[in-house]
Amino acid sequence: MDTDPWGRPYRLHPQPSRTIRAYRTVSDESSLVLASMVPADLLGLARFLADIAPGETRPSKQAVKREERFYTVEEWQRRWEATRKASWTRSCIPSITRWLGRTVPLVTLSYHMSQALTGHGCFQEPGLFKATEFRQLLIYTGIGVFKKVLSSKVYNNFLCLHITKTILCSSYFSSLDAHVNYAEKLLQYFVSNFKEIYGEHHVSHNVHNLLHIVDDVRHFSPLYRFSCFKFENFNQQIKINKNDTQARKAITTNIQKNPCWKIFHVVSIDQMD
């Protein structure tokens, strides 16, 4: 069991893990840092040091808080660097001061973001990634995870795809022609450089289809509006019923009744004409 600076044992509350939506196996150190929750024993130590600080005049309340904060973060950083746990999270967040004072929009950590920052779940092995994890890396965590891992040329190429998907997934930016046109140019640049960086033999149909995805956004609005992620969980049911004639007929009928089917049908006919 962990102990405070006075040698007294203490047990952490499970609240940090719940806040970041993490597994129970995530270490206490990682949970506290990701949740931006200062350990309780450090808060007590900061108040103790601030109270005994020498000075003829009593400092203001704001000065005391700044001093407490300084002691807290300094000791927390020392403990963060000395711990043998949370090696993956520490490699992603080496400085607690920068993490607490980050200027990016503070969003609530999702389940998959916590997995990425703690190295748990499917993020233990990239070969186990599903489409959801790749989307998480592309739109949210990849710009930080890959910054010190990839070369500048490869990282800049990744940024082109990241910016493009951010624009095309936004209901606001995807409604602006200037941003959509910019995303189209970035995708063209990404695909052309993709061939130079990874080789022509890696340019698959999926890479080529990126050149046409902007047209889909112009027709059907942001990417999430016609994404197939919602149907991924039903693939198992479809596989179970693939040999059932009645089930196949029902699926075909429902698809043809869907308005999206009519839109695709009309668009395809117009393009053929």
Side-chain angles (χ1 to χ4, degrees):
M1 182 179 294
D2 295 326
T3 58
D4 62 15
W6 294 275
R8 297 175 300 191
Y10 71 92
R11 185 181 298 276
L12 291 174
H13 195 273
Q15 184 64 31
S17 297
R18 296 175 182 174
T19 302
I20 64 173
R21 299 175 174 85
Y23 285 102
R24 289 185 177 181
T25 53
V26 174
S27 64
D28 298 334
E29 289 82 356
S30 294
S31 299
L32 288 170
V33 171
L34 293 178
S36 299
M37 292 184 178
V38 181
D41 63 306
L42 292 184
L43 289 175
L45 176 63
R47 292 192 179 95
F48 173 74
L49 293 174
D51 289 339
I52 65 174
E56 297 180 358
T57 59
R58 184 177 181 83
S60 64
K61 190 174 182 179
Q62 290 77 11
V64 172
K65 286 186 177 181
R66 286 195 300 269
E67 189 176 5
E68 289 180 353
R69 185 71 169 180
F70 173 78
Y71 285 127
T72 300
V73 176
E74 187 180 49
E75 178 61 24
W76 195 6
Q77 180 67 39
R78 186 197 63 77
R79 181 184 295 182
W80 181 240
E81 294 174 354
T83 182
R84 296 182 179 180
K85 303 178 182 178
S87 58
W88 175 265
T89 306
R90 191 167 61 252
S91 64
C92 297
I93 309 174
S95 174
I96 294 179
T97 303
R98 291 188 61 186
W99 173 254
L100 297 177
R102 59 192 185 277
T103 57
V104 296
L106 297 179
V107 297
T108 304
L109 289 179
S110 65
Y111 169 72
H112 293 287
M113 290 177 69
S114 297
Q115 281 188 333
L117 292 173
T118 57
H120 279 67
C122 61
F123 286 90
Q124 292 178 346
E125 178 59 48
L128 301 177
F129 278 18
K130 294 183 179 179
T132 305
E133 284 76 35
F134 282 117
R135 179 182 62 174
Q136 182 74 36
L137 277 173
L138 175 60
I139 300 179
Y140 300 105
T141 58
I143 55 176
V145 172
F146 296 141
K147 185 173 180 61
K148 295 184 179 180
V149 178
L150 303 177
S151 64
S152 59
K153 185 176 182 180
V154 176
Y155 183 70
N156 290 334
N157 186 253
F158 169 78
L159 284 181
C160 292
L161 187 61
H162 163 75
I163 295 172
T164 299
K165 296 306 176 183
T166 303
I167 293 174
L168 299 182
C169 288
S170 170
S171 57
Y172 173 72
F173 291 120
S174 63
S175 63
L176 304 176
D177 292 337
H179 287 73
V180 174
N181 294 335
Y182 178 64
E184 187 173 27
K185 293 179 180 178
L186 279 180
L187 279 177
Q188 293 172 355
Y189 178 80
F190 170 81
V191 174
S192 63
N193 279 268
F194 186 94
K195 184 188 301 184
E196 298 178 4
I197 295 174
Y198 303 103
E200 188 173 357
H201 59 286
H202 284 297
V203 182
S204 62
H205 291 291
N206 290 331
V207 177
H208 173 76
N209 287 338
L210 292 173
L211 298 174
H212 305 285
I213 200 169
V214 176
D215 293 330
D216 294 332
V217 172
R218 291 190 178 110
H219 282 298
F220 308 114
S221 66
L223 289 176
Y224 68 86
R225 292 287 182 85
F226 56 95
S227 171
C228 294
F229 278 111
K230 295 181 179 179
F231 305 98
E232 185 178 3
N233 293 332
F234 295 98
N235 287 340
Q236 184 178 3
Q237 296 297 327
I238 294 176
K239 291 179 180 179
I240 293 175
N241 298 318
K242 66 179 181 180
N243 296 324
D244 189 340
T245 305
Q246 296 297 327
R248 290 205 306 269
K249 289 182 179 179
I251 293 173
T252 304
T253 303
N254 290 331
I255 290 176
Q256 292 178 349
K257 289 181 179 180
N258 194 299
C260 293
W261 170 266
K262 297 179 181 179
I263 294 174
F264 278 106
H265 184 64
V266 171
V267 171
S268 61
I269 292 177
D270 292 342
Q271 291 177 349
M272 290 175 62
D273 294 340

